[in-house]
Amino acid sequence: DMAAEVHVLGAEPLTEERWAPFGWLPVRDTDPRDGQSRLEFALDDAHLNLIAHYGDEIPHVTGGLVCQMLFRHVTHTQAIMVLDSDALLVVAEPGTSLTSPADLNALRAFQLKAKDAFVLHRGTWHWGPFPVTAEEVTLYNVQGRRYAEDNESCDLTAIPRIVEVRPET
């Protein structure tokens, strides 16, 4: 019984350029680009709330977290702001197939800090954000109220690799 191979994802800083395939980063109202991208809610169910992710929701390894499952919502964009703790986020572009070890190269990890904000395109695969060292991360969240009806998942444990997500060092 051989141990599964490890696929390591090193977290990158959140920048406009790196984030572009997955969504966009909000800009100040005085920025000429403000308003060029729009939130979309096909079910006309935009909803704002606070959510949290907890460290004990996921497996940990020395120096990182383990990503086992990604989710996506095809009917709406999702806007998130990290309120309090450093966190890790994993994403893959909409339309990405995640069924083989080679497909794991489509995953990207981002290191998030308090006040980081981002928007996920409709259909962007995502995991987290999960706290790096804190017990929880609180998130300001705008998404479709009926997200549970539109919450496709992808089980990475079906791929014979362990996806380890490591924070920036």
Side-chain angles (χ1 to χ4, degrees), residues 10-165:
E12 310 170 57
L14 186 65
T15 66
E16 227 175 308
E17 184 178 56
R18 289 177 174 144
W19 186 253
F22 314 108
W24 73 91
L25 303 183
V27 294
R28 291 197 179 269
D29 61 344
T30 53
D31 190 309
R33 297 167 300 160
D34 184 42
Q36 289 179 7
S37 298
R38 299 260 185 240
L39 296 175
E40 301 173 63
F41 294 89
L43 302 179
D44 194 24
D45 64 343
H47 181 68
L48 167 66
N49 60 9
L50 296 178
I51 61 175
H53 283 298
Y54 301 88
D56 64 6
E57 289 178 54
I58 53 162
H60 289 64
V61 290
T62 303
L65 309 177
V66 177
C67 175
Q68 296 180 315
M69 180 87 59
L70 289 101
F71 297 91
R72 70 175 173 185
H73 317 293
V74 295
T75 64
H76 63 275
T77 48
Q78 183 173 3
I80 293 175
M81 178 186 275
V82 176
L83 295 180
D84 52 6
S85 305
D86 287 357
L88 294 174
L89 171 70
V90 174
V91 290
E93 291 184 44
T96 300
S97 170
L98 296 165
T99 57
S100 73
D103 294 339
L104 298 177
N105 293 320
L107 298 175
R108 291 290 172 270
F110 289 91
Q111 176 88 40
L112 305 174
K113 302 187 180 322
K115 296 188 184 176
D116 279 346
F118 57 91
V119 177
L120 295 161
H121 288 313
R122 286 168 57 165
T124 295
W125 290 105
H126 58 284
W127 169 90
F130 284 103
V132 178
T133 55
E135 289 183 21
E136 71 180 87
V137 59
T138 308
L139 308 165
Y140 189 92
N141 179 55
V142 179
Q143 74 179 130
R145 186 173 227 354
R146 293 164 55 187
Y147 77 90
E149 298 167 40
D150 172 25
N151 197 32
E152 188 178 348
S153 64
C154 173
D155 181 1
L156 295 182
T157 64
I159 300 172
R161 297 288 185 275
I162 296 170
V163 179
E164 292 185 7
V165 188

